[in-house]
């Protein structure tokens, strides 16, 4: 027999919204199960039951913005820490890329609930996504995400004869473990004499730097250039743009 699930969890699984959004919509009476309004938090449903949401929920969701920023060195991805400034502080009218073609007009209310969907450490630059949309956050950082992230990494090999052996490059692709757990297969290849391209489907804390340490490489610079089908492109460092209506990760 199939076990019932919390309604908010099932809505998240179906990609309708995040669990937090689901709870808010349930409280407002915006969620129907098999055509009947369910407004009690913690309600459970069977996977076979049909869940629909009212137009107000869809309209509210459509107003939510997603922002792409080229994060500079020295900014943290999330909450301010140890005196360092969070990347969201760069989201202001004067920092918007003048080539952004998205129709949205910037307003400070868009900063409410604008959270990073994934990390980029303080010493790294490149593509960082901040979103108000729980569906996008789940897509990029949910447990079962399959969205690739691509990085360009400038490195130096610290052992003689000064060049990374092919066997160690193979280990970077598959064969390393962090925190006692094997890493998923990656795609790691040389871009030029001192730069590697890393494509990952997971994002452990400082993962690339730690992978490099395990094979004797020192990271000199790290830049994220792609998340799924969305590329950093020509977006200047420290500037931002909206995710376009025709773009999907």
């Amino acid at each position: 027999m199939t076990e019932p699930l919390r309604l908010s969890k099932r809505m998240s699984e179906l990609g309708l919204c995040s669990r937090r959004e689901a709870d808010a919509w349930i409280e407002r009476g915006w969620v129907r199960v098999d055509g009947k309004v369910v407004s009690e938090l913690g309600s459970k449903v069977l996977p076979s039951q049909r869940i629909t949401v009212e137009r107000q929920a869809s309209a509210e969701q459509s107003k939510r913005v997603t922002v792409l920023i080229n994060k500079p060195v020295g900014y943290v991805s999330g909450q301010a820490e140890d005196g360092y400034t969070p990347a969201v502080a760069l989201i202001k009218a004067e920092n918007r890329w003048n080539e952004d073609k998205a129709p949205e007009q910037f307003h400070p209310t868009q900063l409410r609930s604008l959270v990073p969907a994934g990390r980029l450490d303080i010493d790294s630059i490149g593509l960082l996504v901040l979103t108000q949309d729980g569906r996008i956050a789940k897509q990029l950082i949910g447990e079962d995400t399959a969205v690739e992230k691509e990085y360009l990494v400038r490195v130096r090999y610290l052992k003689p004869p000064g060049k990374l052996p092919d066997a160690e490059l193979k280990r970077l692709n598959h064969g390393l473990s962090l925190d006692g757990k094997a890493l998923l297969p990656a795609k790691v290849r040389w871009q030029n004499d001192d730069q590697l391209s890393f494509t990952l489907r997971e994002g452990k804390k400082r993962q690339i730097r730690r992978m490099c340490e395990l094979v004797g490489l020192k990271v000199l610079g790290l830049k994220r250039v792609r998340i799924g089908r969305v590329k950093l492109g020509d977006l200047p460092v420290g500037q931002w743009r909206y995710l376009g209506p025709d773009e999907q990760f």
Side-chain angles (χ1 to χ4, degrees), residues 21-91:
E21 283 174 314
D23 284 338
W25 293 356
I26 291 164
E27 282 188 309
R28 292 176 190 175
W30 289 355
V31 179
R32 292 177 183 264
V33 177
D34 293 338
K36 293 182 180 176
V37 172
V38 175
S39 57
E40 187 177 333
L41 291 179
S43 297
K44 296 196 172 184
V45 294
L46 292 167
S48 58
Q49 291 184 281
R50 184 166 174 262
I51 300 167
T52 54
V53 297
E54 301 295 313
R55 278 181 311 204
Q56 300 98 305
S58 300
E60 185 185 83
Q61 201 169 48
S62 70
K63 294 178 193 165
R64 304 208 163 159
V65 299
T66 296
V67 165
L68 312 174
I69 186 167
N70 188 345
K71 187 191 86 65
V73 168
Y75 285 80
V76 291
S77 299
Q79 298 293 320
E81 54 184 72
D82 300 331
Y84 293 111
T85 308
V88 71
L90 291 166
I91 311 297

Side-chain angles (χ1 to χ4, degrees), residues 12 21 28 35 39 46 52 55 65 88 101 107 115 123 130-131 144 150 153 185 212 216 220 228 234 236 246:
S12 173
E21 283 174 314
R28 292 176 190 175
S39 57
L46 292 167
T52 54
R55 278 181 311 204
V65 299
V88 71
K101 296 182 173 55
H107 194 275
V115 295
D123 300 317
L130 299 122
T131 187
D144 53 354
E150 184 181 350
V153 187
C212 285
L220 305 175
D234 297 326
D246 57 339

Side-chain angles (χ1 to χ4, degrees), residues 15 20 61 73 80 85 95 120-121 126 134 137 139 159 166 178 185 188 195 207 213 216 221 227 248:
R20 187 183 299 172
Q61 201 169 48
V73 168
T85 308
N95 289 345
L120 196 57
D121 71 51
Q139 189 181 42
K159 301 174 184 177
D166 289 344
L178 290 177
V188 185
Q195 187 166 255
Q207 178 172 336
E213 281 175 16
I227 298 176
Q248 290 189 326

Side-chain angles (χ1 to χ4, degrees), residues 18 23 194 198:
S18 69
D23 284 338
D194 69 345
F198 276 73

Side-chain angles (χ1 to χ4, degrees), residues 98-148:
N98 59 15
E99 293 186 32
D100 185 5
K101 296 182 173 55
E104 283 91 350
Q105 295 294 313
F106 175 71
H107 194 275
T109 55
Q110 293 168 351
L111 299 175
R112 290 182 202 147
S113 307
L114 193 65
V115 295
R119 298 173 55 90
L120 196 57
D121 71 51
I122 195 165
D123 300 317
S124 302
I125 68 170
L127 184 57
L128 181 67
V129 177
L130 299 122
T131 187
Q132 293 177 316
D133 191 332
R135 295 167 302 174
I136 286 178
K138 181 176 185 291
Q139 189 181 42
L140 298 188
I141 57 177
E143 288 176 17
D144 53 354
T145 183
V147 176
E148 290 185 341

Side-chain angles (χ1 to χ4, degrees), residues 150-159 161-173 186-199 208 211-212 215-221:
E150 184 181 350
Y151 304 79
L152 295 180
V153 187
R154 231 166 21 91
V155 293
R156 186 170 73 238
Y157 190 54
L158 299 177
K159 301 174 184 177
K163 184 163 183 357
L164 183 73
D166 289 344
E168 296 292 69
L169 182 62
K170 284 182 180 172
R171 286 180 70 215
L172 283 172
N173 277 273
K187 296 176 196 162
V188 185
R189 63 186 189 278
W190 287 105
Q191 289 287 105
N192 52 49
D193 288 347
D194 69 345
Q195 187 166 255
L196 287 164
S197 163
F198 276 73
T199 302
I208 290 176
M211 288 171 72
C212 285
V215 298
L217 287 170
K218 179 179 175 62
V219 172
L220 305 175

